[in-house]
Amino acid sequence: MRSLVTGGAGFIGSHLTEHLLAAGDEVVVLDNLTTGSMANLASVRRHPRLRTVTGSVCDEALVRREVATVDRVFHLGALVGVFNILEDPLGGLRTNIRGAESVLAAAHEHDVPILMASSSEVYGKNSKPRLTEQDDQVLGPPQLSRWTYAEAKAVAESLTYGYVAKHALRAVTVRLFNTVGPRQTGRYGMVVPRFVGQALAGDPLTVYGGGAQRRCFCHVLDIVPALVALLEDETAHGGTFNLGGLEQVDIAELARRVVAVTQSSSEIVHVEYQQAYETYGPGFEEVPSRAPDCAKAFAQIGYRPRHDLATIVADVAAYQRAASVLV
Ligand code: UDP
């Protein structure tokens, strides 16, 4: 198999690239290296079956050229991270909508199957305890720029469904819920690498608001094989699948667990949202709770995450200790 991984130098993309190479694939990585980094591919940098291309998913000619060389596409290239989206909502919209359209068009032109990476963010503020793929999008007003990420990902999904319906494109959509693990940076807002970095540095862990907001974190190594299994399963094509963790934790409890696992002497402090995001303006609205129902992925491919939260935190800490990562 020859696979194209857009965003292959990013956090999830680099793990997927390693996984595909280990399975015997030839892999082309397309990445513009804004949030991704070649350092993420250090372990496979000189692999004879890896080719890296620096460029944008919005560059239609480049995307068409690269899609022409492969048998399948994993589209993970996107502008991500709450901080990035608040800082540049227009950039996020354009990259995440135009990039998706350009990759879908090329996959259609060359008749190759494609995995479209979407996000749990599309559910917005929907407060259902366990979200299923049929649940509603509940977004705040578009003036609040946080929701532009959800809007863009929802458009990318709609484009995918459109190509499936109109052109019988072999496409599968996944909604990723708080994927975490080694190589994820905390620089753009993600809470696990931020807390681990703070704990390792002996700095206070910054819990935004009261800390009662809840998430399910999932190890990237549980996600990666599921991406491949779903794209390889023809009966999954045309479908949408939640992928995430099982255990719900509130953010104050997450902070306590990070302190415990890293044996840190850091204190845990509460930071008002306004203060946390004040440099980015009033574009932030919290999501109080978000947890996936993954029954559909379980029924389709036997998806079941294996890494618990303690293992996730320990793996992120081991990575940060080794890499001296800045958070
Ligand atoms: N969060 C926090 N402190 C931080 C960074 C994030 O308390 O330093 C909170 C954030 O407000 C949210 C949760 O952690 O409630 C998860 O944030 P993340 O950006 O990782 O994921 P998302 O909100 O997109 O689910």
Side-chain angles (χ1 to χ4, degrees):
M1 270 290 173
R2 295 166 299 175
S3 295
L4 172 66
V5 182
T6 71
F11 156 53
I12 302 174
S14 63
H15 286 281
L16 174 63
T17 297
E18 286 176 341
H19 179 90
L20 293 170
L21 288 170
D25 273 26
E26 287 175 34
V27 181
V28 180
V29 162
L30 173 64
D31 202 298
N32 67 358
L33 303 181
T34 51
T35 57
S37 160
M38 281 303 168
N40 288 334
L41 292 170
S43 69
V44 290
R45 191 70 191 90
R46 301 198 192 293
H47 198 292
R49 279 184 276 107
L50 173 67
R51 188 161 61 82
T52 58
V53 178
T54 305
S56 169
V57 288
C58 298
D59 181 340
E60 288 174 30
L62 174 65
V63 167
R64 280 165 68 193
R65 236 182 2 257
E66 294 307 333
V67 171
T69 69
V70 297
D71 306 304
R72 60 186 182 183
V73 178
F74 295 87
H75 180 50
L76 302 177
L79 193 79
V80 297
V82 177
F83 287 178
N84 284 330
I85 297 301
L86 293 181
E87 196 168 59
D88 187 11
L90 179 60
L93 284 163
R94 297 178 80 173
T95 303
N96 297 345
I97 295 174
R98 291 168 63 185
E101 159 80 287
S102 116
V103 177
L104 285 164
H108 165 51
E109 183 180 326
H110 296 286
D111 191 24
V112 292
I114 174 171
L115 178 126
M116 176 61 61
S118 183
S119 167
S120 61
E121 188 80 3
V122 298
Y123 295 108
K125 297 182 279 188
N126 190 322
S127 58
K128 245 187 96 179
R130 289 272 167 190
L131 293 156
T132 70
E133 289 82 355
Q134 294 310 314
D135 283 325
D136 289 339
Q137 289 183 263
V138 184
L139 303 187
Q143 299 93 309
L144 287 179
S145 47
R146 174 189 183 129
W147 304 117
T148 57
Y149 181 72
E151 287 171 330
K153 282 293 178 183
V155 171
E157 284 198 23
S158 298
L159 287 167
T160 308
Y161 307 137
Y163 272 91
V164 170
K166 188 158 183 175
H167 301 296
L169 183 69
R170 291 169 288 160
V172 60
T173 301
V174 295
R175 293 185 182 146
L176 303 177
F177 283 67
N178 294 87
T179 308
V180 293
R183 299 184 200 142
Q184 187 180 43
T185 168
R187 255 171 281 160
Y188 316 120
M190 280 77 162
V191 68
V192 170
R194 285 174 67 80
F195 280 3
V196 170
Q198 290 163 339
L200 294 182
D203 294 337
L205 275 68
T206 52
V207 173
Y208 297 160
Q213 64 273 35
R214 297 168 74 76
R215 297 289 187 278
C216 286
F217 296 96
C218 188
H219 200 298
V220 64
L221 296 182
D222 283 324
I223 294 296
V224 158
L227 303 180
V228 179
L230 284 168
L231 189 57
E232 287 183 347
D233 182 348
E234 283 175 18
T235 66
H237 292 171
T240 309
F241 297 87
N242 287 340
L243 292 177
L246 300 174
E247 185 190 356
Q248 264 199 69
V249 64
D250 71 47
I251 298 301
E253 172 63 15
L254 172 70
R256 288 192 288 275
R257 300 243 201 129
V258 168
V259 167
V261 171
T262 57
Q263 299 182 313
S264 170
S265 54
S266 290
E267 55 174 337
I268 296 169
V269 298
H270 289 263
V271 178
E272 289 307 317
Y273 285 110
Q274 262 164 326
Q275 197 186 327
Y277 290 95
E278 70 187 356
T279 45
Y280 301 100
F284 185 75
E285 199 176 6
E286 180 61 280
V287 173
S289 166
R290 180 176 285 159
D293 180 331
C294 296
K296 191 174 169 193
F298 178 70
Q300 186 77 37
I301 55 162
Y303 170 75
R304 230 188 140 68
R306 313 244 168 243
H307 298 78
D308 64 12
L309 188 58
T311 310
I312 291 171
V313 172
D315 281 3
V316 172
Y319 165 72
Q320 291 197 9
R321 281 196 180 101
S324 305
V325 181
L326 290 173
V327 293

